[in-house]
Amino acid sequence: MTGWRSTFAGLAAAWRRAVEQRGMVAAYAALSALLLTAAAVAPLLVDRAADAGLRHEVASAGTGAQLGFDVRATLGTLGPALDAIAGAPVPLPPHLASVTGLPAVAATTRTGVARSGAGTFEVARVTTVHPPVRWLAGGAPGPSDPTLVGGVVPVALSADNARLLGVTAGDDLTGTDDGATLHVTGVFAPLDAHDPLWGAAPELLRSQSPFALRPTAAALLGPATVSDAPGTAERHPSSAPVDVKVTVPLEADRLRGPDTPAIQADLVHLTGHPAHVQVGGDELTFVLSTHLDDVLTAYQGREQVARSQLTTVLVGLVAGSGLVLVLAASLLVSRRRLVLALERARGASVAGVTVRALAESLAVAVLACALALLVAVGVGGGMPASADLLPAGAVLACAVAVPAVLAASVAWSSWAGSRVSTDRDDRRDEERERRSWAVALQAGVVVVAAGALAAARVRGFSVGGDLFASAAPVLVAGACCVGVVWLVPRVVHAVVRRRSRRWSAVPLVAATRGASTGGRLVALVTLAVVVTLAVFSGAQAATVDAAQRGDDDAAVGAVARVLHPGDGYAQWVARQVPDARVEQASVVPGRAWGQGSGLTVTLLIVDAKAFPQFRALAEQPAPQVGGPVPALVDPSLVGPARAMKPSLSAFASPMTISVAGTTHGVPSLDSLDTTGDPVVVVDRDAMLRSTGINPALLHTDVVWLDGPGAARAATLAAGPVATVVTRAQATADLRADPLLGGMAALLRAASVALALLAGLSVALTVLAGGPERLRVLAVLRTLGVPRRAGRTLVMGELGPVLGAAVVSGALAGVLVAGLLTGVQGLDLLAHGAPIRLHVPWWPFVLVGAVTAAALLTGAWLEERGRRHARVGETLRTY
């Protein structure tokens, strides 16, 4: 019990000591609060950027990100069924239900041929509850009785469809399959064409396939189309087939990045297990049709790459913050070295000294932690998640533990005896053993750094907490410090030997003291780590920015790209815009590569002669019937192709492949691969000649538009599910993506913050060596050295060592960026653009300027602090 009392008895003395040295304690508290705030806020900013990027991705996808359901049933009465479907919630899994809005329901009751003065068309009769419209001519259609064969059915048309059909209000459409006459009662325009309620029947607003043999338009059935009196849909005969569509829009404001896997799981469940709902006497089956999974998959790829980059930088920021806290705590403890030794001499135990130091650091950490949490809550809008607080927790642990550990070390060493062998040979053996351990430790650091770098190159990007690979820049910086520790003393000693006869006492003493790096090892490692991460962060941001600016072809492959166009679109757009070059291709995902290999690939079937990037494929000779088909394969498939005879399951029969080259340098492929599988490119004619496949089985999945008229061709309708992306639009979307913009901004901010940490570490290093230099300068002044020589002593002592640390850190940053740029998936952040390392100039200038300014300022402040120091007093306490 007495031991416990003595251990905790000095807390009041610790408080008095903290009050007496409140300036240093407040500085340590401010530094801890600043570093804690940075570590706590950075993950929250990443989360906000990720959530904003997901919302931007979904919004950019437009109708492709909506949930479309085909309701399969034969309804006896359409009106009550539509009312029941519109009034009842769509059966969605919980995660999807939490991010979706109100469903839109539309029913196509009959589609048939109709004739007008402009030609023959397919006209679909659609019943839906739609938003308000503005009547341009005529009015809303009234109720009709479709059971009457040859009767008159009142309908309304949108302005675009009326223009396509060549009719206006009061005209009739004749020649329908059931003999009915469609009487156009009015022509309308939507007040808001982007209202989600139009998503269930977009063909009501405009023709979705004007390139078909018979263009399809849609006519709006009665009874009323005004917003305040939607009415009830009409009854239909029990034998009338009804095509009911339900469209559920996503509420972008509710989307969050962490919910993406759960939403994808719900999509997979809905696709494999369609929902069944009992409405009246009919059972309705909801069959899902959406591109949301592709949108989320593309987003996840970019988010993983962005998070992996920021995780690497965050690991370096935490490591640099911890090392800076070690420097600050060592400075704080060194100023108390005499007090701690006196406490130990008066009988205080090491545990008591540790508890008093720990109590002080805990009080400081609590204040710093409260400030950091306050800022984090303000930035994040709520309490951060536990995972986001892990970096701040690591910094907090350093802020609490380091002062206590260093105080305990000083207390222990001040009272512990030091045994030195009297025999000279024994002392040599002990010195040799210490050197062996030092060499082994340095070699171990180099080996671990090489292993981390190799792991990062092999594993690529990872978000699952692969700290060993994420710490590669930090470990490489430590390995560079080994080179500095080994090289700097030898270089300084060589310079001193050559210049010893010409230099005065101050440069010789400064160089001799600078050659000893043992006492500044923490400062060297700190400076090297933060400079490495500053250069690495700036290089990553510049590399991604250059890829986004430099190769817009990678995003689209031409002036415009059309995914999932309707049948006949390519031929129609070529006739409409003769000066546009139209090339088409087919994408067949999920093809098995070889027998039993377990690999699946995406097959891209192109007209190789039409694409300059496929020149290597077009120059191959035509294959024989049943012979191998020349192909460009993903670089990852070259090894398996050499190990086994490559083949591909194309449609009904396997197809033998001969590797004609790789897809490296073909930037337009990455934007087509939505499954994550490697891509294999074959020529259409060569594949048909070898396999004898019916050309009708090859649907057009991609159409590229190029040439002078491509921009005008991209504005033409491409089909109900087509996605048209122009080069300018892709570049603008890339620039507007909050995830990519936030990542680049955070990387630049991290580079600036790390440069400031470098300056802070230099300032702390200068302050830590001030008392020892004061005593050395006092001795030199007895030899006639002037007072102003102190600045030369500081610059000569710290300049070579700190300069070498800065240079080694900068080289390590360039080395790590160069070795990891090609394996971290940065091309996903630039729509598949080829990634080439770009090292900007500003991180080097920033780091050099900050460290030089910190060194000069520290030397000037130290000189001002020595103005009132007396040589006699200094030598008396030496």
Side-chain angles (χ1 to χ4, degrees):
M1 197 67 175
T2 304
W4 284 99
R5 288 178 180 174
S6 63
T7 299
F8 292 93
L11 294 180
W15 170 257
R16 289 193 299 271
R17 184 177 62 196
V19 172
E20 292 174 358
Q21 299 178 342
R22 54 185 175 273
M24 296 187 63
V25 174
Y28 185 77
L31 177 61
S32 301
L34 184 63
L35 296 177
L36 274 173
T37 302
V41 168
L44 296 179
L45 294 178
V46 175
D47 291 340
R48 290 180 59 177
D51 293 344
L54 175 59
R55 294 164 189 151
H56 172 80
E57 191 74 19
V58 171
S60 300
T63 58
Q66 295 179 347
L67 304 180
F69 292 93
D70 293 326
V71 184
R72 297 178 180 175
T74 301
L75 304 179
T77 56
L78 176 62
L82 272 183
D83 290 342
I85 296 173
V90 178
L92 295 176
H95 290 95
L96 273 178
S98 64
V99 296
T100 51
L102 296 176
V105 186
T108 302
T109 59
R110 194 182 298 272
T111 301
V113 179
R115 297 181 181 87
S116 67
T120 303
F121 303 89
E122 293 280 345
V123 179
R125 307 177 206 175
V126 180
T127 302
T128 183
V129 179
H130 58 80
V133 297
R134 178 169 55 92
W135 292 102
L136 304 177
S144 62
D145 186 3
T147 62
L148 296 177
V149 177
V152 177
V153 180
V155 298
L157 294 173
S158 66
D160 290 341
N161 281 338
R163 190 179 304 110
L164 173 71
L165 298 176
V167 296
T168 186
D171 293 342
D172 293 331
L173 295 172
T174 61
T176 58
D177 294 346
D178 57 357
T181 298
L182 303 183
H183 177 68
V184 181
T185 63
V187 177
F188 65 88
L191 293 183
D192 183 9
H194 300 288
D195 194 304
L197 289 177
W198 290 110
E203 65 273 13
L204 278 177
L205 300 184
R206 63 186 59 85
S207 172
Q208 298 296 305
S209 54
F211 45 83
L213 294 178
R214 288 198 183 107
T216 301
L220 181 65
L221 291 176
T225 56
V226 293
S227 59
D228 55 351
T232 305
E234 63 205 59
R235 294 178 62 86
H236 288 272
S238 59
S239 60
V242 178
D243 183 12
V244 181
K245 293 183 180 297
V246 177
T247 300
V248 184
L250 262 69
E251 296 290 340
D253 294 340
R254 304 181 192 173
L255 292 173
R256 294 179 62 253
D259 298 334
T260 304
I263 294 175
Q264 286 184 303
D266 286 351
L267 290 173
V268 172
H269 177 76
L270 270 181
T271 303
H273 303 83
H276 301 276
V277 177
Q278 196 76 23
V279 176
D282 297 303
E283 184 181 50
L284 306 182
T285 303
F286 288 76
V287 180
L288 178 63
S289 174
T290 181
H291 296 299
L292 179 59
D293 188 59
D294 294 340
V295 174
L296 296 180
T297 300
Y299 160 77
Q300 277 189 317
R302 284 193 290 275
E303 184 200 20
Q304 287 180 352
V305 175
R307 283 189 180 274
S308 68
Q309 294 297 308
L310 295 171
T311 299
T312 301
V313 175
L314 195 58
V315 168
L317 183 63
V318 171
S321 300
L323 291 170
V324 169
L325 286 174
V326 171
L327 288 176
S330 62
L331 177 62
L332 180 64
V333 172
S334 67
R335 296 296 189 263
R336 299 174 172 176
R337 184 178 297 274
L338 181 59
V339 176
L340 295 174
L342 289 175
E343 286 185 2
R344 186 78 175 100
R346 292 174 59 186
S349 65
V350 176
V353 173
T354 305
V355 167
R356 287 190 285 274
L358 195 60
E360 181 183 88
S361 61
L362 273 175
V364 168
V366 167
L367 294 176
C369 188
L371 178 61
L373 278 180
L374 187 63
V375 175
V377 170
V379 171
M383 192 64 185
S386 57
D388 292 333
L389 292 177
L390 286 177
V395 176
L396 180 63
C398 291
V400 172
V402 169
V405 171
L406 293 178
S409 175
V410 170
W412 177 270
S413 62
S414 65
W415 199 250
S418 178
R419 299 183 61 183
V420 180
S421 301
T422 57
D423 186 72
R424 182 169 55 185
D425 294 335
D426 292 341
R427 291 198 302 271
R428 288 178 179 174
D429 292 340
E430 292 173 359
E431 179 66 21
R432 191 179 298 111
E433 184 178 359
R434 283 194 296 268
R435 289 180 180 177
S436 300
W437 279 109
V439 170
L441 180 61
Q442 294 171 0
V445 171
V446 174
V447 170
V448 171
L453 199 57
R457 282 188 57 83
V458 171
R459 299 173 188 173
F461 61 90
S462 173
V463 193
D466 190 355
L467 293 180
F468 185 59
S470 298
V474 176
L475 295 174
V476 170
C480 289
C481 284
V482 172
V484 171
V485 171
W486 182 85
L487 185 62
V488 168
R490 289 165 174 78
V491 173
V492 172
H493 285 311
V495 172
V496 169
R497 282 195 299 268
R498 292 176 60 90
R499 309 290 296 182
S500 60
R501 296 181 179 273
R502 301 179 184 178
W503 281 355
S504 61
V506 174
L508 285 174
V509 172
T512 303
R513 288 176 55 82
S516 177
T517 59
R520 307 182 192 92
L521 188 58
V522 176
L524 287 178
V525 174
T526 304
L527 192 56
V529 166
V530 295
V531 170
T532 298
L533 267 297
V535 173
F536 176 77
S537 302
Q540 296 297 87
T543 298
V544 174
D545 185 66
Q548 292 175 353
R549 286 186 293 101
D551 200 345
D552 294 332
D553 270 345
V556 179
V559 174
R561 184 196 67 212
V562 183
L563 291 179
H564 313 294
D567 293 335
Y569 166 76
Q571 294 76 14
W572 175 77
V573 77
R575 292 194 301 270
Q576 296 294 320
V577 188
D579 56 343
R581 193 175 58 136
V582 182
E583 305 296 347
Q584 51 189 331
S586 302
V587 180
V588 186
R591 299 292 94 189
W593 174 265
Q595 301 237 348
S597 65
L599 296 175
T600 58
V601 301
T602 296
L603 180 63
L604 178 63
I605 306 169
V606 301
D607 181 7
K609 297 178 182 178
F611 295 91
Q613 57 263 50
F614 301 136
R615 185 176 304 159
L617 197 62
E619 294 174 353
Q620 297 295 317
Q624 300 296 325
V625 177
V629 179
L632 301 179
V633 301
D634 189 89
S636 63
L637 296 175
V638 174
R642 293 172 179 171
M644 54 187 287
K645 187 176 182 181
S647 63
L648 200 63
S649 61
F651 305 99
S653 59
M655 177 175 63
T656 306
I657 295 296
S658 64
V659 179
T662 66
T663 57
H664 180 71
V666 185
S668 59
L669 295 182
D670 292 328
S671 59
L672 306 177
D673 183 18
T674 58
T675 62
D677 291 334
V679 177
V680 176
V681 186
V682 297
D683 179 65
R684 182 190 305 272
D685 294 337
M687 189 188 76
L688 295 178
R689 178 183 178 88
S690 174
T691 61
I693 296 174
N694 184 2
L697 296 176
L698 300 179
H699 297 287
T700 300
D701 297 301
V702 186
V703 171
W704 281 280
L705 303 175
D706 214 341
R712 184 161 59 94
T715 62
L716 302 178
V721 295
T723 303
V724 182
V725 179
T726 63
R727 182 183 298 163
Q729 175 190 346
T731 304
D733 288 344
L734 206 61
R735 290 276 183 263
D737 192 335
L739 175 62
L740 305 186
M743 188 207 71
L746 284 175
L747 284 174
R748 295 188 182 96
S751 183
V752 174
L754 288 162
L756 295 178
L757 279 182
L760 184 58
S761 64
V762 171
L764 291 173
T765 304
V766 174
L767 289 175
E772 179 65 23
R773 279 191 296 273
L774 179 60
R775 290 190 287 268
V776 172
L777 186 60
V779 174
L780 292 176
R781 289 191 62 192
T782 61
L783 302 177
V785 173
R787 183 192 301 271
R788 62 178 179 274
R791 188 182 304 179
T792 306
L793 182 64
V794 175
M795 301 299 294
E797 176 184 339
L798 298 179
V801 179
L802 298 181
V806 170
V807 172
S808 66
L811 293 178
V814 175
L815 174 66
V816 173
L819 292 177
L820 299 185
T821 294
V823 298
Q824 291 184 309
L826 296 179
D827 53 337
L828 294 179
L829 304 181
H831 281 316
I835 295 297
R836 299 178 182 87
L837 177 64
H838 282 72
V839 181
W841 56 268
W842 60 266
F844 301 96
V845 175
L846 179 63
V847 168
V850 169
T851 53
L855 183 59
L856 292 173
T857 303
W860 177 72
L861 291 176
E862 185 175 310
E863 184 180 10
R864 285 181 60 87
R866 287 194 299 262
R867 287 183 304 176
H868 304 292
R870 296 183 178 181
V871 176
E873 291 292 334
T874 304
L875 293 178
R876 190 175 299 115
T877 58
Y878 195 96

